[in-house]
Amino acid sequence: MNTQTTPSPQFYLTAPAVCPYLPGEMERKVFTHLVGPRAAEMNDLLTQGGFRRSQNIAYRPACEACRACVSVRILAGEFEPTRSMKRVVTANRDLIATIQPAQPSTEQFALFRRYLDDRHQHGGMSDMSALDYAIMVEDTHVNTRLIEYRIREPGSGISDQPKGELIAVALTDMMSDGLSMVYSFFNPKFDKRSLGTFMILDHINRTRTLGLPHVYLGYWVKGSSKMDYKTRYQPQEQLMARGWERSLPPTTDADD
């Protein structure tokens, strides 16, 4: 009889640091490593429990005096786009999306740097190098993919090798109950396309096609205006003290 037990993940707590979302607040995180043959299984369980993945680390907030960060997931099978979302889909009907292995390219990194320099000049990722980007993409022990979005060149067919300008990329974990959007970026010169919205809508459609229920969006931070967009995708569930609960939809549907 085999009495050897399966190793359990070890959890650690970070030191307090300045919160990047709410002024005057300090943040702490609990984290564990996602490595080994059970990494994909653990990623599923931890994501369903409110964790997020960054490279081979799964983490969640563990702040002492604040509970503003709330995990959210879209119920893909019940989702109905709003009028403004339908306009976003129409505006991007010339895009072709392809799923790629989690392997970085110089083309992706150039787009990534352009996005950071325009949108996150003073953020924690602002000084990331090509090597840093490669590690962000490749350092995964779970089922991770890149989804590239290109403007279709005239005359190229659906089955052709994708051509055209790369304008958006999503780093996505393929989970047993849906898709988890780890990180996404896009060319800021195409503001009118609302590419951030389009990528979320595309993930909802992909999840529905797979017959899976959830698209995980990470954390909605109450009181942080830059996170308010996550509440627009309804119906959705938020992870509360008693488990996943349906949230109330926002009162307005503002465009991006």
Side-chain angles (χ1 to χ4, degrees):
M1 180 177 179
N2 185 1
T3 59
Q4 183 176 1
T5 59
T6 301
S8 298
Q10 300 296 308
F11 291 89
Y12 308 91
L13 188 64
T14 65
V18 175
C19 176
Y21 299 108
L22 300 177
E25 296 289 349
M26 302 294 290
E27 70 165 4
R28 300 188 79 176
K29 296 175 182 176
V30 60
F31 69 94
T32 189
H33 296 279
L34 287 171
V35 295
R38 297 183 62 227
E41 175 188 353
M42 288 305 303
N43 187 47
D44 279 13
L45 291 173
L46 291 172
T47 301
Q48 292 159 7
F51 281 72
R52 290 288 283 168
R53 185 183 72 81
S54 176
Q55 300 173 38
N56 65 0
I57 296 292
Y59 68 91
R60 68 170 298 172
C63 306
E64 297 175 358
C66 179
R67 296 294 183 269
C69 293
V70 178
S71 295
V72 297
R73 65 186 186 187
I74 305 165
L75 299 175
E78 301 177 46
F79 175 79
E80 292 292 340
T82 63
R83 289 191 299 271
S84 66
M85 292 174 185
K86 291 178 180 177
R87 290 195 294 269
V88 170
V89 172
T90 299
N92 291 285
R93 62 185 179 275
D94 60 337
L95 296 189
I96 181 170
T98 56
I99 298 179
Q100 307 286 352
Q103 298 174 353
S105 70
T106 55
E107 186 182 26
Q108 293 164 13
F109 177 68
L111 179 63
F112 178 68
R113 279 292 352 153
R114 184 167 187 173
Y115 173 76
L116 291 182
D117 292 342
D118 185 87
R119 297 296 180 94
H120 301 285
Q121 293 181 6
H122 306 292
M125 303 171 73
S126 61
D127 59 351
M128 285 181 65
S129 66
L131 177 60
D132 295 326
Y133 174 74
I135 293 172
M136 182 180 81
V137 172
E138 292 180 325
D139 194 2
T140 174
H141 293 254
V142 305
N143 188 10
T144 303
R145 295 291 184 268
L146 286 165
I147 304 180
E148 294 185 341
Y149 300 85
R150 297 176 181 273
I151 300 176
R152 188 194 304 275
E153 286 188 349
S156 62
I158 297 292
S159 60
D160 294 341
Q161 182 69 21
K163 300 176 182 178
E165 182 180 358
L166 179 69
I167 65 170
V169 175
L171 182 65
T172 302
D173 285 348
M174 323 296 279
M175 297 173 47
S176 62
D177 68 332
L179 302 180
S180 176
M181 299 186 69
V182 177
Y183 195 78
S184 60
F185 53 94
F186 52 86
N187 189 331
K189 84 173 185 180
F190 293 103
D191 267 349
K192 292 183 179 179
R193 285 180 176 267
S194 297
L195 290 166
T197 296
F198 179 74
M199 283 189 281
I200 294 175
L201 296 174
D202 181 62
H203 278 67
I204 294 171
N205 288 333
R206 290 176 184 274
T207 302
R208 197 198 310 254
T209 299
L210 292 169
L212 298 175
H214 303 127
V215 176
Y216 289 86
L217 290 185
Y219 300 115
W220 166 62
V221 184
K222 186 176 181 180
S224 174
S225 58
K226 63 182 178 181
M227 290 293 184
D228 284 345
Y229 74 92
K230 295 186 179 184
T231 64
R232 296 179 55 213
Y233 302 90
Q234 299 288 335
Q236 70 174 229
E237 293 178 328
Q238 299 181 351
L239 186 57
M240 312 304 288
R242 294 177 296 181
W244 289 98
E245 299 179 2
R246 282 191 178 234
S247 66
L248 294 176
T251 54
T252 60
D253 173 34
D255 288 323
D256 291 346

